Amino acid sequence: MGRIFGTDGVRGIANRDLTCELACEIAKAAGTIIREEKGSRCRFLLGTDTRSSASMLSAAICAGLCAVGCDVTLLGVVPTPAVAYLTRALKADAGVMLTASHNPCQYNGIKIIGGTGFKLTDAEEEAIEAMVLDHARPAALAGPEEMGRVDTGSGYVQLYIDHLRSTIKGNFDGLRLAVDCANGSASATARQIFEGLGAQCVFLNCEPDGVNVNRGCGSMHIGALADYVRAHRMDLGVAFDGDADRCLAVDSEGHLVDGDVLLAIFSRRLAREGRLAQNGVVVTVMSNIGFFKYAEETGTQAVTTKVGDRYVLEQIIAGGYNLGGEQSGHIIFFDHMTTGDGQLSALQLLDAMAQEQKPLSELRQVMRVYPQVIINAPADAGMKAKLPHAKALWDMIAALEGELEGIGRVLVRPSGTEPLIRVMVEGPEEQQIRRIAETVAKEIEKQLS
């Protein structure tokens, strides 16, 4: 993890951590580096989610890019995967998405996507950081006749919507579907994507006001959707986060279907159709132990990587896989998209239900979900730096993990996007794993503070 870039771009509280000045400097550095790589004038696409800080930061990004001779096409409010797809499809040189994903409205972030539709390489991010933080070299400012210009894209988002709809086969006549847009990016696209497919759709939290993104709704607050689905006798519900790159679902009884279960559903379908590359799925160390047991029972290769969709994607590319994701609902269908896409995942779920003629309440039983408790211990950068070397803490964790007798595990890791150390404990008994998680979290605060 870099000094500006975390595991998922730049992120912080808007106008405090992520200021106009910083955004402009990042844009100038990124524009300089990418323009030098191309060797000529280049074009960026710029999208945002629904946060009130988007206008301010968008102006700063445009100013920085234009200052170094890069043109900018404004996409408006779009999902992050739309920027990735359109950057590649329109042969732009790079894309920028302003979003803090699942975080509250006061946060915002900058995700930079290369012309191939993938996030920038570590080397490119390090070069940007060196220019912004170390002033290793100045940005290559353009002359009066070379400054970039800003235009508004027309009809581009429809290309993304058409692409998503082209990935499914089924007809969803009679299906009752609730769609929670989290008052975020999906508010701009969900109706066009899901209406007209035969399902009876209800769209929830589709009225963003700049401050209500992720607030009591979406994939971060799935209970509200579960209550709605039960109360209104829907067949299922799907929920996205602020930039619509993740999806969680609930069945007709309100039971959560998280990313691990979705991956099991999708991998089984792809395997049956002979389309699961390498007969494998890329998951993270946070995936539920139930998924690994499912993989073992079915002969599916479960390839494990660090937490973060960028690491999942790296392993997908390196190993020749076409499916991977995280428990949080970031799922990558590499045959269709270069990044996680919540709305694509929802469509694939509907398609699986239609093709197999089974309700989600039945499909979700593909794997057993073991109890899992996650507690977040507040931790600044100094505490995170101490974590790997805290021998007494790790000895205590090992002893507590021994109480699970090989049926569960304890995982402790620093968050790549927030000032937290995450403690995850998994095992057969809820009360036992909660006690262990709480004990570890308290020790982290005590020993590392």
Side-chain angles (χ1 to χ4, degrees):
M1 187 168 64
R3 294 170 293 166
I4 295 177
F5 290 91
T7 56
D8 199 20
V10 182
R11 194 169 299 183
I13 295 178
N15 221 24
R16 191 188 76 181
D17 307 316
L18 183 53
T19 62
C20 292
E21 292 80 5
L22 178 59
C24 186
E25 290 302 311
I26 290 171
K28 287 194 289 186
T32 296
I33 290 166
I34 292 174
R35 187 175 183 185
E36 287 176 351
E37 289 176 352
K38 182 183 179 182
S40 62
R41 190 182 191 90
C42 45
R43 176 193 182 202
F44 279 67
L45 305 185
L46 175 60
T48 77
D49 68 16
T50 58
R51 296 163 204 272
S52 57
S53 57
S55 297
M56 173 187 77
L57 293 173
S58 178
I61 293 290
C62 287
L65 290 173
C66 289
V68 295
C70 298
D71 297 322
V72 184
T73 297
L74 302 178
L75 299 176
V77 173
V78 292
T80 290
V83 177
Y85 174 76
L86 291 171
T87 296
R88 189 172 185 171
L90 298 175
K91 297 182 179 180
D93 299 291
V96 177
M97 178 68 183
L98 295 177
T99 180
S101 190
H102 61 281
N103 291 135
C105 68
Q106 63 265 34
Y107 289 83
N108 213 325
I110 302 172
K111 297 181 182 182
I112 306 177
I113 297 162
T116 56
F118 300 108
K119 293 177 183 178
L120 295 186
T121 65
D122 290 343
E124 288 170 325
E125 289 184 353
E126 289 167 5
I128 292 171
E129 289 179 340
M131 289 181 67
V132 174
L133 297 179
D134 304 330
H135 307 292
R137 62 188 179 100
L141 298 180
E145 297 180 359
E146 297 176 339
M147 292 180 188
R149 298 182 181 183
V150 179
D151 66 80
T152 302
S154 176
Y156 293 150
V157 179
Q158 189 62 46
L159 296 176
Y160 163 73
I161 292 170
D162 292 344
H163 172 65
L164 292 196
R165 291 183 59 146
S166 74
T167 67
I168 57 175
K169 307 172 185 176
N171 182 281
F172 313 132
D173 284 345
L175 193 69
R176 290 170 54 80
L177 170 67
V179 181
D180 187 339
C181 297
N183 291 312
S185 292
S187 303
T189 54
R191 290 185 185 277
Q192 292 172 272
I193 291 172
F194 294 98
E195 287 184 337
L197 296 177
Q200 300 176 39
C201 299
V202 175
F203 296 91
L204 308 173
N205 302 303
C206 277
E207 298 180 356
D209 61 10
V211 297
N212 62 358
V213 60
N214 297 316
R215 190 172 67 194
C217 59
S219 62
M220 293 303 294
H221 302 277
I222 198 73
L225 178 62
D227 291 342
Y228 184 92
V229 167
R230 280 194 301 265
H232 293 81
R233 300 181 182 277
M234 310 298 288
D235 293 307
L236 77 157
V238 294
F240 311 118
D241 63 335
D243 66 335
D245 66 352
R246 64 171 71 178
C247 172
L248 296 179
V250 295
D251 69 9
S252 58
E253 300 170 357
H255 293 129
L256 171 65
V257 181
D258 66 13
D260 290 333
V261 181
L262 290 173
L263 284 169
I265 293 171
F266 296 142
S267 63
R268 183 177 67 174
R269 181 187 176 197
L270 290 175
R272 286 176 173 176
E273 296 176 356
R275 297 191 293 124
L276 185 62
Q278 309 296 332
N279 194 38
V281 183
V282 180
V283 294
T284 77
V285 293
M286 292 287 281
S287 290
N288 192 275
I289 193 172
F291 182 85
F292 296 104
K293 291 185 178 295
Y294 154 80
E296 183 180 353
E297 291 167 359
T298 59
T300 304
Q301 184 183 181
V303 183
T304 308
T305 188
K306 293 188 293 184
V307 173
D309 62 328
R310 71 179 301 154
Y311 303 118
V312 172
L313 180 60
E314 286 173 3
Q315 189 58 54
I316 284 175
I317 295 171
Y321 304 101
N322 64 348
L323 179 66
E326 300 181 274
Q327 187 183 75
S328 62
H330 281 113
I331 296 178
I332 300 173
F333 289 90
F334 196 60
D335 292 335
H336 304 305
M337 193 66 65
T338 58
T339 186
D341 189 324
Q343 293 174 115
L344 174 61
S345 296
L347 287 174
Q348 295 301 313
L349 179 60
L350 296 176
D351 210 34
M353 293 170 62
Q355 294 297 314
E356 298 191 35
Q357 291 292 295
K358 293 178 180 178
L360 184 55
S361 57
E362 185 175 343
L363 288 183
R364 73 176 182 84
Q365 296 176 27
V366 65
M367 63 167 268
R368 175 186 174 185
V369 179
Y370 283 74
Q372 192 180 75
V373 171
I374 299 176
I375 294 181
N376 295 319
D380 58 22
M383 293 174 67
K384 290 182 180 181
K386 293 177 184 177
L387 179 62
H389 314 290
K391 183 177 183 303
L393 176 63
W394 289 110
D395 287 345
M396 186 206 71
I397 291 170
L400 290 169
E401 190 171 50
E403 296 180 18
L404 299 171
E405 299 179 348
I407 304 176
R409 58 182 176 144
V410 180
L411 180 67
V412 178
R413 68 170 191 91
S415 169
T417 58
E418 298 175 89
L420 302 169
I421 292 176
R422 304 196 194 280
V423 179
M424 187 272 281
V425 184
E426 212 168 37
E429 297 181 8
E430 177 89 24
Q431 186 174 0
Q432 180 189 33
I433 64 174
R434 184 165 296 280
R435 172 181 58 80
I436 291 174
E438 290 172 351
T439 300
V440 174
K442 288 178 183 176
E443 284 298 312
I444 287 173
E445 294 186 58
K446 178 180 176 181
Q447 294 193 35
L448 302 184
S449 295

